[in-house]
Amino acid sequence: MEIGGLLLQRGLIDQQQMELARSRANGKRVDQILVEMGIVKEEDALRVLADELGMQFIELKHFEVDAELISRFPTTAIFRHEVLPLEQANGRVKVATSDPFDLEALDELSSLGRCRVDPVLARRQEIVDLIKGSLGVGGDTINELVAQRSEEGVELLEGLPSELGELAEEAQAASVIRLVNELLIEALEQRASDVHVEPGEKGLSVRYRVDGMLRPQPVPPEINHFASAIVTRLKIMSRLNIAEKRLPQDGRIKLRVSGRDVDVRVSIIPMIHGEGIVLRLLDKGRMIFDLASVGMPSEISDPFHELISLPHGIVLVTGPTGSGKTTTLYSALNEIKSPETKIVTVEDPVEYHMDGISQIQVHSKIGLTFAAGLRSILRHDPDVVLIGEIRDGETASSAIQASLTGHLVFSTLHTNDAPSAFTRLIDMGVEPYLVASTVEGVLAQRLIRELCPNCREEYHLEQDKLPPDLATSPVDSLWRAVGCRDCRDIGYTGRTGVFELLLNDPHVRKLCVDRASAGDIRDHALRQGMMTLRQSAWEKAKVGITSLDEVVRITRGDVT
């Protein structure tokens, strides 16, 4: 029976869904279209196929790959056909595939491995993950480069005439380009924010930062032979000096991956064993600038919305690097922008381009600093001004003057909590009475990992296991991370914000003028009902959004 009829017979789809899938088939199988549309799970479709064809369906989640067995087969064929040899018995090799009708792949593997193969069905993503975990990201490209290296004698390039050296380098360029592209594509598939390519004594290592945590990536050991080619390729892409290997360099790459625009900020620093690279990935296609999407609860978003709707004053967002400050500020600008409002930003760098907002890129080398840019844009008659970051007293004073002349000013500051923002500005040299009269509110924030909704587990919590400051708000049960195929066995997927909002009032102004400590300002804010970062994270843990481990990892305990 045709696969669509089988799925219909099993009750996985109805007649209308089958007809819709057939109309969109365009050479593809009906079950593949249904999986792409999200109507049928791949696992369910494969189980139906396995039953009909008399094949075995297996879970590869915890499968241990036989490295010696895989080494008997060319990596290029394994990557190209997405098939994986699993085990050998009685002269036959069991091979995992997600497409039982791809006989060409099975025949090629049988021929190259000089053995008979028995196909078994498994989910495509599990097969791909195991292949990458066993052979490394870009393993097939590395295999081709090794072949070229041995055939063309690349080890002798330094001793060859320059004409031959250039020709040999051009011959390898396509594979090097593809290898770098594979590293970037894999990082985007894992939703990584950063890629770390680090030279070490034992060779090159690659790590992706996903949801704020670094994950080592398996790479073939042969990649060490092409470390300099990878660095050179990235320098060329980011328009850096490929001959300079002694000084740090910063650049930028603009890419389009699967129809999505991606900005890559490149930082290269010379280290003992070579040049270390960090790529910051800004996936514009996945960004949603909305205060609700950053995880702001109503008890924070309502007063914050009033704050950003003021006619003048300074609104600060504070937190360490990578805590989501820029996203929050862009979301705030998105909320208040309109044809009647002129919004101008000065940023270093401009991370996201927004319609309806005038954005200026800082160029410190030619004198266009935050302070200089701010002085100039005030002549452009703005209503709202965003300063990317207040780094020094000059920028702080310029922001104060802008707010005093009737502008609403947004900016970021690197402080650990909201009350410290007042004292930090005073430490920068701004007069206390000016800080007191212009700063309308401070939002401190962090990003905390969200539990995977498919595998999180509820458990009974013993009260003596709670940190002392959280024991005052006890709960009977919490949720913890487990790990499944959807979250790559991490237990977490995505991040959300936790917030601490401090609104200025007459008493805060008096404390500020009196040069009171951040602790005194904090005590007053707590008496007025301010929710701390710790409390905000704890509220998310109590409803199962995150875990107690994350609360403890991300926030400091409140002093009671």
Side-chain angles (χ1 to χ4, degrees):
M1 184 182 291
E2 186 259 340
I3 182 63
L6 284 171
L7 296 173
L8 181 63
Q9 187 183 66
R10 300 289 180 94
L12 294 175
I13 59 172
D14 56 35
Q15 186 69 37
Q16 185 179 359
Q17 290 169 332
M18 184 172 71
E19 296 301 331
L20 177 62
R22 282 175 174 167
S23 68
R24 297 185 180 183
N26 195 23
K28 281 190 175 183
R29 294 204 318 271
V30 170
D31 60 310
Q32 293 173 331
I33 297 296
L34 289 166
V35 170
E36 288 176 5
M37 293 169 64
I39 296 172
V40 175
K41 290 184 178 179
E42 183 188 16
E43 181 178 333
D44 294 336
L46 289 174
R47 287 186 184 277
V48 170
L49 278 173
D51 289 345
E52 184 68 16
L53 300 173
M55 298 173 68
Q56 182 185 2
F57 175 84
I58 61 173
E59 295 272 1
L60 296 179
K61 182 179 176 182
H62 300 296
F63 189 85
E64 291 292 332
V65 175
D66 186 343
E68 186 178 346
L69 177 62
I70 289 183
S71 66
R72 290 171 42 190
F73 299 87
T75 56
T76 305
I78 291 174
F79 272 94
R80 185 170 69 250
H81 295 298
E82 294 176 346
V83 292
L84 182 65
L86 300 178
E87 57 190 19
Q88 183 174 12
N90 302 322
R92 303 172 74 93
V93 176
K94 187 181 289 186
V95 176
T97 177
S98 61
D99 186 356
F101 303 109
D102 188 1
L103 301 180
E104 179 189 344
L106 300 172
D107 288 343
E108 183 177 342
L109 214 62
S110 175
S111 174
L112 294 171
R114 297 178 182 177
C115 61
R116 299 186 67 179
V117 300
D118 291 330
V120 294
L121 295 183
R123 290 177 68 249
R124 176 186 172 276
Q125 193 58 52
E126 286 184 351
I127 296 173
V128 171
D129 288 345
L130 268 180
I131 290 173
K132 289 177 180 176
S134 305
L135 300 174
V137 177
D140 56 335
T141 305
I142 286 291
N143 193 51
E144 289 181 20
L145 281 170
V146 170
Q148 289 180 8
R149 195 169 185 264
S150 58
E151 291 168 11
E152 299 172 7
V154 180
E155 291 96 335
L156 302 175
L157 279 180
E158 290 183 354
L160 292 174
S162 59
E163 298 83 13
L164 292 178
E166 288 178 3
L167 289 172
E169 189 174 1
E170 286 174 13
Q172 290 192 32
S175 293
V176 173
I177 290 168
R178 196 169 71 182
L179 175 60
V180 171
N181 289 348
E182 285 176 11
L183 288 172
L184 291 171
I185 290 169
E186 177 66 14
L188 290 169
E189 285 181 358
Q190 294 194 30
R191 297 178 297 101
S193 60
D194 302 85
V195 178
H196 294 244
V197 183
E198 302 159 321
E201 187 176 359
K202 296 182 180 179
L204 208 64
S205 66
V206 177
R207 294 190 288 175
Y208 295 158
R209 188 177 293 280
V210 182
D211 294 336
M213 305 290 283
L214 281 172
R215 293 184 191 171
Q217 295 301 304
V219 290
E222 292 84 3
I223 199 173
N224 300 325
H225 300 307
F226 311 102
S228 61
I230 292 169
V231 174
T232 302
R233 172 61 188 163
L234 286 167
K235 283 182 178 178
I236 291 169
M237 292 172 72
S238 48
R239 302 175 184 273
L240 299 178
N241 183 356
I242 63 173
E244 181 56 74
K245 300 184 178 181
R246 301 165 300 168
L247 295 173
Q249 297 190 71
D250 294 315
R252 191 170 185 175
I253 307 170
K254 292 184 178 181
L255 301 174
R256 177 163 288 174
V257 182
S258 302
R260 299 201 314 265
D261 287 338
V262 179
D263 263 8
V264 183
R265 297 203 322 242
V266 183
S267 176
I268 300 177
I269 298 179
M271 297 182 179
I272 295 174
H273 299 289
E275 292 178 279
I277 308 170
V278 175
L279 309 175
R280 167 64 60 86
L281 307 179
L282 301 171
D283 189 350
K284 298 180 179 180
R286 287 184 174 165
M287 290 306 302
I288 301 172
F289 295 117
D290 175 37
L291 290 178
S293 70
V294 300
M296 196 175 283
S298 59
E299 56 266 29
I300 296 288
S301 64
D302 291 346
F304 185 68
H305 198 277
E306 292 179 15
L307 198 62
I308 64 178
S309 302
L310 292 172
H312 54 79
I314 296 177
V315 177
L316 296 173
V317 179
T318 76
T321 303
S323 59
K325 301 187 297 295
T326 302
T327 303
T328 298
L329 282 176
Y330 277 24
S331 300
L333 293 181
N334 218 25
E335 290 268 332
I336 62 174
K337 76 174 183 180
S338 69
E340 294 80 30
T341 305
K342 169 95 172 190
I343 302 176
V344 184
T345 75
V346 190
E347 304 169 68
D348 182 23
V350 175
E351 294 186 353
Y352 300 100
H353 301 280
M354 298 184 70
D355 292 333
I357 295 177
S358 304
Q359 295 172 279
I360 299 172
Q361 169 77 52
V362 165
H363 288 289
S364 301
K365 290 181 181 178
I366 59 173
L368 181 53
T369 61
F370 282 119
L374 183 55
R375 284 196 298 271
S376 298
I377 63 178
L378 290 182
R379 304 187 193 109
H380 268 241
D381 186 31
D383 299 296
V384 179
V385 175
L386 166 64
I387 308 171
E389 182 186 342
I390 295 179
R391 296 175 178 171
D392 49 46
E394 185 184 9
T395 309
S397 297
S398 299
I400 296 286
Q401 292 304 318
S403 68
L404 289 172
T405 52
H407 302 87
L408 181 61
V409 180
F410 293 104
S411 191
T412 68
L413 206 59
H414 286 294
T415 62
N416 289 326
D417 59 10
S420 300
F422 290 91
T423 55
R424 176 64 57 84
L425 290 174
I426 294 171
D427 291 341
M428 284 182 178
V430 181
E431 289 294 333
Y433 73 91
L434 289 175
V435 176
S437 60
T438 56
V439 177
E440 297 293 344
V442 183
L443 180 77
Q445 73 175 73
R446 298 289 188 279
L447 290 178
I448 197 166
R449 291 189 294 172
E450 293 183 291
L451 286 167
C452 174
N454 298 314
C455 65
R456 64 176 185 167
E457 177 182 80
E458 191 172 11
Y459 69 102
H460 176 71
L461 180 71
E462 297 178 12
Q463 296 305 311
D464 58 351
K465 298 290 178 66
L466 272 177
D469 61 306
L470 300 180
T472 56
S473 177
V475 291
D476 293 328
S477 63
L478 287 175
W479 297 80
R480 61 187 168 200
V482 177
C484 66
R485 64 166 67 110
D486 292 320
C487 62
R488 295 176 180 260
D489 284 328
I490 301 298
Y492 298 92
T493 173
R495 289 189 291 177
T496 188
V498 292
F499 303 93
E500 174 179 292
L501 180 61
L502 171 57
L503 299 175
N504 203 346
D505 63 20
H507 193 73
V508 171
R509 292 190 184 95
K510 183 177 185 307
L511 289 171
C512 205
V513 171
D514 293 342
R515 295 180 180 265
S517 68
D520 292 338
I521 297 174
R522 182 183 184 82
D523 290 342
H524 166 72
L526 290 173
R527 288 193 294 271
Q528 297 301 308
M530 181 185 77
M531 178 183 287
T532 65
L533 288 168
R534 181 79 153 190
Q535 291 164 354
S536 177
W538 180 233
E539 290 302 315
K540 282 181 162 55
K542 288 196 288 188
V543 295
I545 294 175
T546 190
S547 66
L548 177 61
D549 291 341
E550 277 294 286
V551 174
V552 173
R553 184 179 72 87
I554 291 296
T555 62
R556 290 179 56 184
D558 290 331
V559 179
T560 55

